[in-house]
């Protein structure tokens, strides 16, 4: 008989007492209907309501549930990072605890994973019950970010996704202090694909993402995956110097250079020069920033033809856990 994989589901929780019982119920119901084995990891991100008590009570009832309890609120992205770290599944699914991400979609994700994809992210076909402002700002943000970075971060996706164990292994190597998980997952590469889904309305309670947290997530995304802001000063300085040059040439050709004109030429020149000097600092800063992020220089998916090959690629092991290689090779 084919061995069933272990799937970890990670759910960050911050003051979700109004939804949690329903979430726990629906997730347990879902996993009982599936052939795979599951563990469900709730990461309490310093809730100050009864969330933790609800999870503790659920642990008494369901042996598949685990709790990682933070000492205070560290934020959604850090909660996800912690959950991933404590997950032991062959694949790990991250989803919100407010039932906006429907558990049934996990079935499609597992199917894609069994087909051989290493990351299957949920792409929102629609966002029900979210404010106009939230939808528009999210749209603008994702498009802006994709213009500013070389890492291809898919549009209209949140953190709802399934990741193979080998992706998790790489994520664990990335000790970033302001993690932007969806960017990091794109950055590590491997075979990635999407499944489309309808994003539901939050089951109960309010969004735990006030404007302040949303902006800070957006800034984390941009500053960890783009160096464009650091280079803006260079572009601006270059523009000023170009204007300065044209201004000078035109007035010299016309032959009407006055003291006022010289002052303007000097002002533009000083402004442009200073701006470029700042931009140069930015270019060196970029190197320090990327060095301090300490990301691996490259990630290897598979080494072929080396005598110690089987040791290095965990791929075969993982694939066996999916049951793919086994069934393919008989
Ligand atoms: N969350 C968290 N820490 C926070 C804010 C949110 O762990 O500081 C959790 C929250 O409980 C939920 C998920 O992250 O499970 C997404 O948050 P929310 O649903 O409030 O965001 P939205 O869907 O409104 O963007
Ligand atoms: Mg939500």
């Amino acid at each position: 008989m084919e061995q069933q994989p272990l799937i970890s589901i990670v759910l960050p929780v911050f003051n979700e007492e109004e939804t949690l019982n329903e979430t726990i119920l629906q997730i347990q119901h879902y996993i009982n209907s599936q052939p795979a084995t599951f563990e469900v990891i709730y990461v309490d991100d310093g809730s100050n309501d009864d969330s933790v008590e609800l999870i503790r009570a659920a642990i008494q009832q369901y042996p598949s549930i685990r709790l990682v309890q933070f000492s205070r609120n560290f934020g959604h992205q850090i909660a996800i990072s912690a959950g991933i770290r404590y997950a032991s599944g062959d694949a790990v699914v991250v989803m919100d605890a407010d039932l906006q991400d429907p558990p049934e979609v996990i079935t499609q994700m597992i199917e894609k994973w069994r087909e051989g994809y290493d990351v299957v992210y949920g792409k929102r076909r629609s966002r029900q019950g979210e404010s106009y402002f939230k939808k528009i700002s999210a749209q603008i943000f994702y498009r802006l970010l994709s213009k500013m970075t070389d890492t291809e971060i898919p549009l209209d996706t949140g953190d709802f996704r399934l990741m193979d164990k080998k992706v998790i292994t790489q994520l664990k190597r990335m000790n970033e202090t302001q993690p932007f998980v969806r960017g990091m997952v794109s950055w590590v590469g491997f075979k990635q694909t999407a499944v489309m889904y309808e994003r539901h309305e939050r089951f109960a309670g309010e969004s735990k993402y006030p404007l302040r947290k949303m902006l800070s997530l957006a800034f984390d995304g941009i500053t960890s995956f783009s160096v464009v802001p650091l280079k803006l000063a260079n572009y601006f300085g270059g523009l000023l110097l170009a204007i300065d040059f044209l201004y000078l040439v035109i007035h010299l050709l016309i032959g009407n250079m006055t003291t006022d004109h010289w002052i303007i030429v000097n002002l533009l020149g000083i402004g442009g020069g200073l701006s470029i000097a700042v931009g140069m600092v930015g270019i060196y800063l970029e190197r320090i920033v990327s060095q301090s992020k300490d990301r691996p220089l490259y990630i290897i998916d598979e080494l072929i033809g080396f005598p110690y090959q089987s040791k290095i690629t965990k791929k075969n092991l993982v694939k066996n856990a999916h049951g793919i290689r086994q069934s393919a090779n008989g």
Side-chain angles (χ1 to χ4, degrees):
M1 215 193 81
E2 194 182 290
Q3 208 202 331
Q4 285 298 336
L6 173 68
I7 314 273
S8 308
I9 304 182
V10 169
L11 302 102
V13 173
F14 179 53
N15 293 343
E16 299 285 6
E17 61 179 4
E18 288 162 284
T19 2
L20 256 178
N21 276 333
E22 184 65 21
T23 307
I24 292 169
L25 222 66
Q26 287 203 19
I27 300 269
Q28 293 307 122
H29 180 76
Y30 170 75
I31 65 180
N32 287 335
S33 71
Q34 297 298 311
T37 319
F38 287 85
E39 65 169 358
V40 187
I41 303 176
Y42 290 91
V43 183
D44 171 63
D45 185 12
S47 298
N48 41 37
D49 64 358
D50 277 338
S51 298
V52 173
E53 281 64 37
L54 297 180
I55 300 166
R56 281 177 194 267
I59 291 178
Q60 302 298 320
Q61 209 178 339
Y62 308 104
S64 55
I65 298 185
R66 332 239 177 277
L67 167 66
V68 176
Q69 188 184 345
F70 278 0
S71 59
R72 64 169 171 85
N73 181 244
F74 282 92
H76 180 212
Q77 299 291 305
I78 296 180
I80 293 176
S81 309
I84 286 174
R85 195 158 289 264
Y86 287 98
S88 47
D90 301 302
V92 178
V93 175
V94 173
M95 67 191 291
D96 283 4
D98 57 3
L99 294 172
Q100 281 195 288
D101 309 324
E104 308 82 62
V105 181
I106 298 176
T107 310
Q108 288 162 260
M109 293 181 166
I110 294 176
E111 259 167 42
K112 290 276 178 201
W113 176 55
R114 280 179 178 275
E115 279 172 31
Y117 287 100
D118 302 306
V119 175
V120 187
Y121 50 86
K123 200 168 158 79
R124 300 180 272 244
R125 197 181 286 132
S126 65
R127 304 176 131 218
Q128 293 159 16
E130 289 187 300
S131 71
Y132 201 64
F133 172 74
K134 180 131 190 174
K135 288 181 195 168
I136 291 284
S137 57
Q139 278 220 345
I140 295 177
F141 168 66
Y142 286 114
R143 276 152 190 83
L144 187 71
L145 181 61
S146 83
K147 287 240 172 341
M148 288 168 70
T149 169
D150 296 333
T151 309
E152 263 187 50
I153 301 171
L155 298 176
D156 305 317
T157 58
D159 289 305
F160 184 27
R161 63 189 66 217
L162 176 148
M163 291 160 284
D164 186 87
K165 198 179 189 167
K166 67 184 180 191
V167 173
I168 301 296
T169 306
Q170 296 305 327
L171 289 180
K172 284 184 189 165
R173 291 174 67 193
M174 298 168 81
N175 256 325
E176 305 197 6
T177 44
Q178 282 146 301
F180 183 64
V181 178
R182 58 198 84 161
M184 287 154 61
V185 174
S186 298
W187 185 86
V188 298
F190 298 107
K191 274 184 84 180
Q192 310 213 356
T193 190
V195 293
M196 303 296 289
Y197 77 106
E198 308 286 340
R199 188 159 161 95
H200 292 324
E201 215 165 315
R202 163 181 262 288
F203 176 77
E206 300 202 326
S207 170
K208 307 298 180 285
Y209 256 96
L211 187 63
R212 178 180 53 82
K213 278 190 183 170
M214 241 163 69
L215 283 178
S216 123
L217 178 70
F219 278 116
D220 280 348
I222 291 172
T223 48
S224 2
F225 287 91
S226 172
V227 287
V228 171
L230 274 180
K231 294 186 171 160
L232 284 180
N234 266 330
Y235 301 143
F236 181 65
L239 184 72
L240 281 187
L241 288 187
I243 293 173
D244 192 22
F245 182 70
L246 276 179
Y247 187 91
L248 179 65
V249 169
I250 290 170
H251 284 283
L252 283 180
L253 285 180
I254 301 172
N256 69 345
M257 280 306 279
T258 62
T259 316
D260 283 356
H261 288 144
W262 276 117
I263 290 176
I264 288 175
V265 166
N266 284 332
L267 278 180
L268 283 172
I270 292 170
L274 278 179
S275 192
I276 283 185
V278 172
M280 289 311 292
V281 174
I283 286 174
Y284 286 92
L285 199 59
E286 175 200 338
R287 305 186 84 89
I288 298 177
V289 167
S290 67
Q291 189 85 41
S292 70
K293 270 193 290 213
D294 203 22
R295 287 194 188 150
L297 206 51
Y298 49 79
I299 293 173
I300 291 172
D301 189 3
E302 208 162 4
L303 289 174
I304 297 178
F306 288 87
Y308 47 88
Q309 174 199 350
S310 60
K311 255 191 197 161
I312 291 204
T313 65
K314 289 223 177 71
K315 194 170 183 171
N316 293 329
L317 288 174
V318 176
K319 283 278 154 74
N320 277 341
H322 299 196
I324 298 178
R325 288 274 162 89
Q326 274 165 335
S327 49
N329 302 339

